[in-house]
């Protein structure tokens, strides 16, 4: 099986979260398409050399979030939802915005200052891409 | 219900200077169990009792459904065991050992054995005596793996191995449980190895099991909270606190009963939460050992 997953030991996040994120990325970029079958829990565990229970945890959470569906005896597949990719990016954005707001509060940034920072970050990205 | 690959129930063993007590273990088929403990904690004794090499004073031991030590002949047909002190015959080559094991165990898989020799970077015409420590460990492991045992028991398999050899060994252990009917028990004092591939984790210290549960539960329940408190305010009282420290306005609390609701509880006591940190298995292990020994980590 092709395994383009990288699990980092120095990344502070638990392994199951890293695996969830990388599966979501594959779905978001369209490598794993809606309705397509994905590796079984045990196969992915062996391929990534990560315990079965960790992959099981990642699949359960992904199922709860509606990214994949698991049918007993058949296996897991990407959920039948055409918008999955976009929805996942939106979720990621939401998470990063929450984190930005938290850090801003920690260093005493006002709401206006935070808005300004976000606008200039967008500006910078547009310049880099042009 | 899944069958147990191995089970220990209320096992005791006394030596003049060491006592193993109340050992409870249960490994369901198809899983990997990691036994973590400091040197002299009782890991090897536990494994030796399991294999019938040492007889328990009290308690029940079962391996692949066979009562130990009484039924060890039946049980050992499908059990592979590798330990550091296992002696191969120094004057013979690895190839000689392969033929020897093959003649005893009908399940021997010759092409898998050759494949392993290649992956482990071993030469079958090399004498055991001329091998490095790492090559010796890999040879023993090859001889066990190629029998395709249902249960593989390894005492400190990764100790003294270089990073590449360690990676190969861990990969092989994961390959074993690709088959749902096969299981692995391994001991280590390297928590990173255990954290990566184990489904179940057992901490052992001073002859006692001090904690045992599935890995995800372990990692989920433990958090370190970094807080900032208003002047002259004590740290909030939270459930499951294992360690806490305060210096000026800043404090840290380590809990083994973390839930997201605890954050609310902290805020209500006036604390500002700077960080909620996950902990590595190593940090958790040290905290549990220190706590059970009655010392505190500072």
């Amino acid at each position: 099986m092709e395994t383009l997953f990288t699990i980092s030991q120095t990344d502070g996040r638990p392994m199951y979260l890293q695996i969830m994120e990388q599966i979501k990325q594959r779905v978001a970029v369209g490598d794993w398409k809606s309705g397509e079958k994905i590796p079984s829990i045990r196969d992915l565990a062996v391929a990534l050399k990560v315990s079965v229970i960790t992959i099981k945890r990642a699949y359960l959470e992904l199922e709860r979030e509606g990214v994949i569906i698991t049918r007993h005896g058949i296996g897991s597949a990407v959920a039948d939802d055409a918008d999955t990719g976009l929805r996942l990016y939106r979720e990621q954005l939401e998470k990063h915005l929450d984190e930005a707001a938290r850090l801003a509060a920690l260093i005493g940034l006002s709401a206006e200052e935070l808005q300004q920072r976000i606008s200039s970050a967008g500006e910078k990205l547009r310049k880099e891409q042009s | 219900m899944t069958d147990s690959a191995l089970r220990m129930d209320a096992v005791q063993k006394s030596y003049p200077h060491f006592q193993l007590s109340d050992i409870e273990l249960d490994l369901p088929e198809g899983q990997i169990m990691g036994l973590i403990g400091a040197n002299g904690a009782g890991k090897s004794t536990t494994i030796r009792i399991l294999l019938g090499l040492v007889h328990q004073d009290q308690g029940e031991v079962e391996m692949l459904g066979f009562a130990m030590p009484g039924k060890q002949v039946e049980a050992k047909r499908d059990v592979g065991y590798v330990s550091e002190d296992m002696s191969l015959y120094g004057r013979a080559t690895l190839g000689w050992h392969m033929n020897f094991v093959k003649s005893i165990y009908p399940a021997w898989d010759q092409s898998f054995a050759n494949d392993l020799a290649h992956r482990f970077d071993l030469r079958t015409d090399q004498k055991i005596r001329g091998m490095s420590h790492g090559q010796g460990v890999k040879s023993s492991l090859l001889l066990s793996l190629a029998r395709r045992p249902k249960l593989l028991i390894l005492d400190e398999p990764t100790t003294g191995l270089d990073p590449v050899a360690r990676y190969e060994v861990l990969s092989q252990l994961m390959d074993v449980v690709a088959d749902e009917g096969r299981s692995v028990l391994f001991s280590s004092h390297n928590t990173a190895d255990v954290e990566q591939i184990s489904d179940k984790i057992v901490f052992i210290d001073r002859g006692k099991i001090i904690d045992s549960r599935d890995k995800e539960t372990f990692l989920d329940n433990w958090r370190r909270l970094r807080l900032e408190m208003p002047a002259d305010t004590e740290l909030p009282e939270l459930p499951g606190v294992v360690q806490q420290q305060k210096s000026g306005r800043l404090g840290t609390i380590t809990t083994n009963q973390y839930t997201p609701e605890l954050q609310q509880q902290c805020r209500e006591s006036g604390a500002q939460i700077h960080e909620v940190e996950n902990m590595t298995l190593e940090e958790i292990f040290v905290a549990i050992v220190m706590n059970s020994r009655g010392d505190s980590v500072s």
Side-chain angles (χ1 to χ4, degrees):
Chain A
M1 189 195 351
E2 201 188 352
T3 53
L4 288 167
F5 288 79
T6 332
I7 310 298
S8 161
Q9 299 240 0
T10 49
D11 190 319
R13 294 167 310 159
M15 280 188 278
Y16 84 91
L17 279 179
Q18 295 187 43
I19 291 161
M20 281 176 69
E21 192 132 311
Q22 295 189 40
I23 291 179
K24 283 183 182 177
Q25 261 170 16
R26 302 208 138 192
V27 173
V29 300
D31 276 351
W32 286 5
K33 295 184 179 57
S34 291
E36 201 173 291
K37 242 186 119 176
I38 64 171
S40 77
I41 291 172
R42 206 164 271 272
D43 285 350
L44 191 60
V46 172
L48 299 185
K49 305 175 199 338
V50 166
S51 52
V52 171
I53 197 165
T54 300
I55 308 287
K56 199 180 275 177
R57 171 82 191 276
Y59 275 30
L60 271 175
E61 300 281 338
L62 285 169
E63 211 180 325
R64 206 167 296 156
E65 294 184 7
V67 180
I68 63 171
I69 42 165
T70 304
R71 284 204 193 87
H72 196 71
I74 299 172
S76 304
V78 180
D80 266 325
D81 177 349
D83 269 342
T84 313
L86 274 177
R87 183 168 58 79
L88 292 178
Y89 279 137
R90 271 189 218 110
E91 271 173 23
Q92 263 181 33
L93 174 66
E94 208 67 44
K95 221 168 56 191
H96 288 301
L97 284 174
D98 287 349
E99 181 66 10
R102 190 184 72 85
L103 290 171
L106 212 62
I107 56 173
L109 223 58
S110 73
E112 290 75 34
E113 284 168 310
L114 177 62
Q115 263 175 22
Q116 212 162 19
R117 292 283 187 96
I118 292 176
S119 312
S120 62
E123 204 72 40
K124 196 169 132 220
L125 182 73
R126 268 191 293 280
K127 267 190 204 138
E128 279 169 6
Q129 283 177 341
S130 64
Chain B
M1 213 191 95
T2 3
D3 290 332
S4 290
L6 65 88
R7 210 172 53 78
M8 288 178 109
D9 191 17
V11 170
Q12 313 240 0
K13 176 76 189 174
S14 290
Y15 292 100
H17 302 289
F18 180 74
Q19 199 177 7
L20 202 63
S21 48
D22 301 323
I23 299 293
E24 310 270 344
L25 289 182
D26 189 3
L27 173 63
E29 260 183 20
Q31 295 196 3
I32 297 184
M33 178 184 271
L35 196 58
I36 303 179
N39 296 319
K43 300 188 298 280
S44 296
T45 308
T46 304
I47 285 179
R48 294 170 73 82
I49 290 174
L50 194 59
L51 288 160
L53 300 172
V54 167
H55 296 184
Q56 67 270 31
D57 297 336
Q58 270 179 60
E60 280 173 39
V61 180
E62 239 179 53
M63 206 161 60
L64 299 173
F66 294 107
M68 300 293 287
K71 298 263 185 196
Q72 51 179 305
V73 177
E74 291 88 334
K76 280 182 183 168
R77 256 197 303 260
D78 284 318
V79 174
Y81 170 54
V82 178
S83 80
E84 266 192 274
D85 58 353
M86 202 149 72
S87 45
L88 299 177
Y89 191 50
R91 279 192 287 185
T93 62
L94 172 58
W96 181 89
H97 283 87
M98 286 163 72
N99 282 328
F100 179 70
V101 176
K102 181 181 173 181
S103 71
I104 303 173
Y105 295 97
W108 178 265
D109 185 337
Q110 185 64 42
S111 68
F112 181 42
N114 293 336
D115 179 44
L116 282 172
H118 179 71
R119 277 209 248 176
F120 284 170
D121 206 17
L122 294 168
R123 288 181 47 183
T124 52
D125 60 353
Q126 191 177 355
K127 284 187 179 155
I128 302 294
R129 200 169 40 192
M131 287 185 175
S132 68
H133 166 77
Q135 289 169 323
V137 172
K138 288 189 287 184
S139 295
S140 300
L141 198 58
L142 178 153
L143 293 169
S144 275
L145 283 167
R147 284 171 43 209
R148 302 261 185 210
K150 273 195 193 143
L151 172 62
L152 192 61
I153 297 179
L154 309 132
D155 200 1
E156 301 276 352
T158 55
T159 305
L161 295 186
D162 63 73
V164 177
R166 260 187 50 218
Y167 174 82
E168 282 294 352
V169 168
L170 292 179
S171 305
Q172 286 307 320
L173 298 190
M174 277 313 296
D175 279 356
V176 168
V177 296
D179 178 344
E180 280 173 51
R182 299 168 69 202
S183 327
V184 177
L185 168 71
F186 79 111
S187 72
S188 182
H189 54 252
N190 182 338
T191 51
D193 289 348
V194 175
E195 178 166 356
Q196 187 177 341
I197 67 167
S198 299
D199 299 298
K200 283 202 144 189
I201 287 172
V202 178
F203 287 151
I204 185 164
D205 190 52
R206 295 183 175 173
K208 282 198 172 77
I209 289 178
I210 48 175
D211 213 333
S212 155
R213 56 195 77 219
D214 77 63
K215 183 183 69 187
E216 290 300 319
T217 313
F218 248 126
L219 298 177
D220 255 4
N221 290 353
W222 285 77
R223 286 291 187 285
R224 193 170 36 228
L225 298 122
R226 297 194 183 277
L227 306 175
E228 181 183 333
M229 305 296 298
D232 305 320
T233 312
E234 288 306 306
L235 289 168
E237 301 229 349
L238 301 179
V241 172
V242 181
Q243 294 163 18
Q244 56 179 1
Q245 294 169 49
K246 190 164 175 280
S247 156
R249 284 162 162 260
L250 299 177
T252 61
I253 298 181
T254 304
T255 170
N256 64 6
Q257 288 174 34
Y258 177 79
T259 54
E261 287 79 63
L262 292 194
Q263 295 194 25
Q264 189 55 36
Q265 224 170 308
C266 286
R267 284 192 203 96
E268 277 164 14
S269 72
Q272 197 181 353
I273 302 172
H274 281 204
E275 207 73 60
V276 179
E277 296 173 339
N278 291 302
M279 293 172 71
T280 65
L281 202 57
E282 176 143 338
E283 293 172 312
I284 296 174
F285 175 58
V286 171
I288 293 181
V289 168
M290 289 308 184
N291 214 36
S292 98
R293 290 184 183 178
D295 306 338
S296 67
V297 191
S298 56

Coordinates of all heavy atoms in Angstrom, one line a residue, chain B residues 50-102:
Chain B
L50 N 5.5 -16.4 33.0 CA 4.6 -16.7 31.9 C 5.0 -17.9 31.1 O 4.2 -18.7 30.7 CB 4.6 -15.4 31.1 CG 3.5 -15.2 30.1 CD1 2.1 -15.2 30.8 CD2 3.7 -13.8 29.4
L51 N 6.3 -18.0 30.8 CA 6.8 -19.0 30.0 C 7.1 -20.3 30.7 O 7.5 -21.3 30.1 CB 8.2 -18.6 29.4 CG 8.0 -17.5 28.3 CD1 9.4 -16.8 28.1 CD2 7.6 -18.1 27.0
G52 N 6.8 -20.3 32.0 CA 7.0 -21.5 32.8 C 8.5 -21.8 33.1 O 8.9 -22.9 33.6
L53 N 9.4 -20.8 32.9 CA 10.8 -21.0 33.2 C 11.0 -20.8 34.7 O 12.0 -21.4 35.3 CB 11.7 -19.9 32.5 CG 11.6 -19.9 30.9 CD1 12.3 -18.7 30.3 CD2 12.2 -21.2 30.4
V54 N 10.1 -20.1 35.3 CA 10.1 -19.9 36.8 C 8.7 -20.2 37.2 O 7.7 -19.9 36.5 CB 10.5 -18.5 37.2 CG1 10.2 -18.2 38.6 CG2 11.9 -18.2 36.9
H55 N 8.5 -21.0 38.3 CA 7.1 -21.3 38.7 C 6.6 -20.3 39.8 O 7.3 -20.0 40.7 CB 7.0 -22.7 39.3 CG 7.3 -23.7 38.2 ND1 7.3 -25.1 38.4 CD2 7.8 -23.6 36.9 CE1 7.6 -25.7 37.3 NE2 7.9 -24.9 36.4
Q56 N 5.4 -19.8 39.6 CA 4.8 -18.9 40.5 C 4.5 -19.6 41.9 O 4.2 -20.8 41.9 CB 3.5 -18.3 39.9 CG 2.3 -19.2 39.7 CD 2.3 -19.9 38.4 OE1 3.4 -20.1 37.8 NE2 1.1 -20.2 37.9
D57 N 4.5 -18.8 43.0 CA 4.2 -19.4 44.3 C 2.6 -19.5 44.3 O 2.1 -20.4 44.9 CB 4.6 -18.4 45.4 CG 6.2 -18.3 45.5 OD1 6.8 -19.3 45.0 OD2 6.7 -17.3 46.0
Q58 N 2.0 -18.5 43.8 CA 0.5 -18.4 43.8 C 0.0 -17.8 42.5 O 0.7 -17.1 41.9 CB 0.0 -17.5 45.0 CG -0.1 -18.2 46.3 CD -0.6 -17.2 47.3 OE1 -1.6 -16.6 47.2 NE2 0.3 -17.1 48.4
G59 N -1.3 -18.1 42.2 CA -1.9 -17.4 41.1 C -2.0 -18.3 39.9 O -1.3 -19.3 39.8
E60 N -2.9 -17.8 38.9 CA -3.1 -18.6 37.7 C -2.4 -17.9 36.5 O -2.4 -16.7 36.4 CB -4.6 -18.7 37.4 CG -5.2 -19.8 38.2 CD -6.7 -19.7 38.0 OE1 -7.2 -19.5 36.8 OE2 -7.5 -19.9 39.0
V61 N -1.8 -18.7 35.6 CA -1.2 -18.2 34.4 C -1.7 -19.1 33.3 O -1.7 -20.3 33.3 CB 0.4 -18.3 34.5 CG1 1.0 -17.8 33.2 CG2 0.9 -17.6 35.7
E62 N -2.0 -18.4 32.2 CA -2.5 -19.1 31.0 C -1.9 -18.5 29.8 O -1.8 -17.3 29.6 CB -4.0 -18.9 30.9 CG -4.8 -20.2 30.9 CD -6.3 -19.9 30.8 OE1 -6.7 -19.2 29.9 OE2 -7.0 -20.4 31.6
M63 N -1.4 -19.4 28.9 CA -0.8 -18.9 27.6 C -1.5 -19.6 26.5 O -1.5 -20.9 26.5 CB 0.7 -19.2 27.7 CG 1.5 -18.2 26.8 SD 3.2 -18.2 27.2 CE 3.7 -19.9 27.0
L64 N -2.1 -18.9 25.5 CA -2.8 -19.5 24.4 C -3.9 -20.5 24.9 O -4.1 -21.5 24.3 CB -1.9 -20.1 23.4 CG -0.9 -19.2 22.8 CD1 0.1 -19.9 21.9 CD2 -1.6 -18.1 21.9
G65 N -4.4 -20.2 26.1 CA -5.5 -21.1 26.7 C -4.9 -22.3 27.5 O -5.7 -23.0 28.0
F66 N -3.6 -22.4 27.5 CA -3.0 -23.5 28.3 C -2.6 -23.1 29.6 O -1.9 -22.0 29.7 CB -1.9 -24.1 27.5 CG -2.2 -24.8 26.2 CD1 -1.9 -24.2 25.0 CD2 -2.9 -26.0 26.2 CE1 -2.3 -24.8 23.8 CE2 -3.2 -26.7 25.0 CZ -2.9 -26.0 23.8
A67 N -2.9 -23.8 30.7 CA -2.5 -23.5 32.0 C -1.0 -23.7 32.2 O -0.4 -24.7 31.8 CB -3.2 -24.3 33.1
M68 N -0.3 -22.6 32.7 CA 1.2 -22.7 32.9 C 1.5 -22.8 34.4 O 0.8 -22.2 35.2 CB 1.8 -21.5 32.3 CG 1.6 -21.2 30.9 SD 2.4 -22.5 29.9 CE 4.1 -22.0 30.0
P69 N 2.5 -23.5 34.8 CA 3.5 -24.2 34.0 C 3.1 -25.6 33.5 O 3.8 -26.2 32.7 CB 4.7 -24.3 34.8 CG 4.2 -24.3 36.2 CD 2.9 -23.5 36.2
G70 N 1.9 -26.1 34.0 CA 1.6 -27.5 33.7 C 1.5 -27.9 32.2 O 2.0 -29.0 31.9
K71 N 1.0 -27.1 31.4 CA 0.8 -27.4 30.0 C 1.8 -26.7 29.1 O 1.5 -26.4 27.9 CB -0.6 -27.0 29.5 CG -1.7 -27.7 30.3 CD -2.2 -28.9 29.5 CE -3.4 -29.6 30.2 NZ -3.7 -30.9 29.6
Q72 N 3.0 -26.5 29.6 CA 3.9 -25.7 28.8 C 4.4 -26.3 27.5 O 4.6 -25.6 26.5 CB 5.1 -25.3 29.6 CG 5.9 -26.3 30.4 CD 7.0 -25.7 31.1 OE1 7.9 -25.0 30.5 NE2 7.1 -25.9 32.4
V73 N 4.4 -27.7 27.4 CA 4.8 -28.3 26.2 C 3.8 -27.9 25.0 O 4.2 -27.5 24.0 CB 4.9 -29.8 26.3 CG1 5.3 -30.5 25.0 CG2 5.9 -30.2 27.4
E74 N 2.5 -28.1 25.4 CA 1.5 -27.7 24.4 C 1.5 -26.2 24.0 O 1.5 -25.9 22.8 CB 0.1 -28.0 24.9 CG -0.2 -29.5 25.1 CD 0.2 -30.1 26.5 OE1 1.1 -29.5 27.1 OE2 -0.4 -31.1 26.9
A75 N 1.7 -25.4 25.0 CA 1.6 -24.0 24.8 C 2.8 -23.5 23.9 O 2.6 -22.7 23.0 CB 1.6 -23.2 26.1
K76 N 4.0 -24.1 24.2 CA 5.2 -23.5 23.6 C 5.3 -23.8 22.1 O 6.2 -23.2 21.4 CB 6.4 -24.0 24.4 CG 6.6 -23.2 25.6 CD 7.9 -23.6 26.3 CE 8.0 -22.8 27.6 NZ 9.0 -23.4 28.5
R77 N 4.5 -24.8 21.6 CA 4.6 -25.0 20.2 C 4.3 -23.8 19.4 O 4.8 -23.6 18.3 CB 3.5 -26.1 19.8 CG 4.0 -27.5 19.6 CD 3.0 -28.3 18.9 NE 1.8 -28.4 19.6 CZ 1.4 -29.5 20.4 NH1 2.3 -30.5 20.5 NH2 0.3 -29.5 21.0
D78 N 3.4 -22.9 19.9 CA 3.0 -21.7 19.1 C 3.5 -20.4 19.8 O 2.9 -19.4 19.5 CB 1.5 -21.7 19.0 CG 1.0 -22.7 18.0 OD1 1.6 -22.8 16.9 OD2 0.0 -23.4 18.2
V79 N 4.5 -20.5 20.6 CA 5.0 -19.3 21.3 C 6.5 -19.1 20.9 O 7.3 -20.1 20.9 CB 4.9 -19.4 22.8 CG1 5.6 -18.2 23.5 CG2 3.4 -19.5 23.2
G80 N 6.8 -17.9 20.5 CA 8.2 -17.6 20.2 C 8.7 -16.7 21.3 O 8.0 -15.8 21.8
Y81 N 9.9 -16.9 21.7 CA 10.5 -16.1 22.9 C 11.9 -15.6 22.5 O 12.7 -16.4 22.0 CB 10.5 -17.0 24.1 CG 11.3 -16.5 25.3 CD1 11.0 -15.2 25.8 CD2 12.3 -17.2 25.9 CE1 11.7 -14.7 26.9 CE2 13.0 -16.7 27.0 CZ 12.7 -15.5 27.5 OH 13.4 -15.0 28.6
V82 N 12.1 -14.4 22.7 CA 13.5 -13.8 22.5 C 13.9 -13.0 23.7 O 13.1 -12.2 24.1 CB 13.5 -12.9 21.2 CG1 14.9 -12.3 21.0 CG2 13.1 -13.7 20.0
S83 N 15.1 -13.3 24.2 CA 15.6 -12.5 25.3 C 17.1 -12.3 25.1 O 17.7 -12.9 24.3 CB 15.3 -13.1 26.6 OG 16.3 -14.1 26.9
E84 N 17.6 -11.3 25.8 CA 19.0 -11.0 25.6 C 19.9 -12.1 26.1 O 21.0 -12.3 25.5 CB 19.3 -9.8 26.5 CG 19.3 -8.5 25.8 CD 19.9 -7.4 26.6 OE1 19.2 -6.8 27.4 OE2 21.1 -7.1 26.4
D85 N 19.5 -12.8 27.1 CA 20.4 -13.8 27.7 C 20.2 -15.2 26.9 O 20.8 -16.2 27.4 CB 20.2 -14.0 29.2 CG 18.8 -14.4 29.5 OD1 17.9 -14.4 28.6 OD2 18.5 -14.6 30.7
M86 N 19.4 -15.2 25.9 CA 19.2 -16.4 25.2 C 20.5 -16.8 24.4 O 21.0 -16.0 23.6 CB 18.1 -16.3 24.2 CG 17.5 -17.7 23.9 SD 15.8 -17.6 23.5 CE 15.8 -16.9 22.0
S87 N 21.0 -18.0 24.7 CA 22.3 -18.3 24.1 C 22.1 -19.1 22.8 O 21.5 -20.2 22.8 CB 23.2 -19.0 25.1 OG 22.4 -20.0 25.7
L88 N 22.6 -18.6 21.7 CA 22.7 -19.4 20.5 C 24.1 -20.0 20.6 O 25.0 -19.7 21.3 CB 22.6 -18.5 19.3 CG 21.3 -17.7 19.1 CD1 21.3 -16.8 17.9 CD2 20.1 -18.7 19.1
Y89 N 24.3 -21.0 19.7 CA 25.6 -21.8 19.7 C 26.7 -21.0 19.0 O 26.6 -20.8 17.8 CB 25.3 -23.1 19.1 CG 26.3 -24.2 19.2 CD1 26.9 -24.5 20.5 CD2 26.8 -24.9 18.1 CE1 27.8 -25.5 20.6 CE2 27.7 -25.9 18.3 CZ 28.3 -26.1 19.5 OH 29.2 -27.1 19.6
G90 N 27.7 -20.5 19.7 CA 28.6 -19.6 19.2 C 29.4 -20.1 18.0 O 29.8 -19.3 17.1
R91 N 29.7 -21.4 18.0 CA 30.6 -21.9 16.9 C 29.9 -22.2 15.7 O 30.5 -22.5 14.6 CB 31.3 -23.2 17.4 CG 32.5 -22.8 18.3 CD 33.4 -24.0 18.5 NE 32.8 -25.0 19.4 CZ 33.3 -26.1 19.9 NH1 34.6 -26.4 19.5 NH2 32.7 -26.9 20.7
A92 N 28.5 -22.2 15.7 CA 27.7 -22.5 14.5 C 27.3 -21.2 13.8 O 27.3 -20.1 14.4 CB 26.5 -23.3 14.9
T93 N 26.9 -21.4 12.6 CA 26.5 -20.2 11.8 C 25.0 -20.0 12.0 O 24.3 -20.8 12.5 CB 26.7 -20.4 10.3 OG1 25.9 -21.5 9.9 CG2 28.2 -20.7 10.0
L94 N 24.5 -18.8 11.5 CA 23.1 -18.5 11.6 C 22.3 -19.6 10.7 O 21.3 -20.0 11.1 CB 22.8 -17.1 11.0 CG 21.4 -16.7 10.9 CD1 20.6 -16.8 12.2 CD2 21.3 -15.3 10.3
G95 N 22.9 -19.9 9.6 CA 22.3 -20.9 8.7 C 22.1 -22.2 9.4 O 21.0 -22.9 9.2
W96 N 23.1 -22.6 10.2 CA 23.0 -23.9 10.9 C 21.8 -23.8 11.9 O 21.0 -24.8 12.0 CB 24.3 -24.1 11.7 CG 24.3 -25.4 12.5 CD1 24.7 -26.7 12.0 CD2 23.9 -25.6 13.8 NE1 24.5 -27.6 13.0 CE2 24.0 -27.0 14.1 CE3 23.4 -24.7 14.8 CZ2 23.7 -27.5 15.4 CZ3 23.1 -25.2 16.1 CH2 23.3 -26.6 16.3
H97 N 21.7 -22.7 12.6 CA 20.6 -22.5 13.5 C 19.2 -22.5 12.8 O 18.2 -23.1 13.3 CB 20.7 -21.2 14.3 CG 21.7 -21.2 15.4 ND1 23.0 -20.9 15.1 CD2 21.6 -21.5 16.7 CE1 23.7 -21.1 16.3 NE2 22.8 -21.4 17.2
M98 N 19.2 -21.9 11.6 CA 17.9 -21.9 10.8 C 17.5 -23.4 10.5 O 16.3 -23.7 10.7 CB 18.1 -21.1 9.6 CG 18.1 -19.6 9.9 SD 18.7 -18.6 8.5 CE 17.4 -18.6 7.3
N99 N 18.4 -24.2 10.1 CA 18.1 -25.6 9.8 C 17.7 -26.3 11.0 O 16.8 -27.2 11.0 CB 19.3 -26.3 9.1 CG 19.5 -25.9 7.7 OD1 18.5 -25.7 7.0 ND2 20.7 -25.8 7.2
F100 N 18.3 -26.0 12.1 CA 18.0 -26.7 13.4 C 16.6 -26.4 13.8 O 15.8 -27.3 14.1 CB 19.0 -26.2 14.5 CG 18.8 -26.8 15.8 CD1 19.0 -28.2 16.0 CD2 18.3 -26.1 16.9 CE1 18.8 -28.7 17.3 CE2 18.0 -26.6 18.1 CZ 18.3 -28.0 18.3
V101 N 16.2 -25.1 13.8 CA 14.9 -24.7 14.2 C 13.8 -25.3 13.2 O 12.8 -25.8 13.7 CB 14.7 -23.2 14.3 CG1 13.3 -22.8 14.6 CG2 15.7 -22.6 15.4
K102 N 14.2 -25.3 12.0 CA 13.3 -25.8 10.9 C 13.0 -27.3 11.2 O 11.9 -27.8 10.9 CB 14.0 -25.6 9.6 CG 13.2 -26.1 8.4 CD 14.1 -25.9 7.2 CE 13.6 -26.5 5.9 NZ 14.5 -26.2 4.8

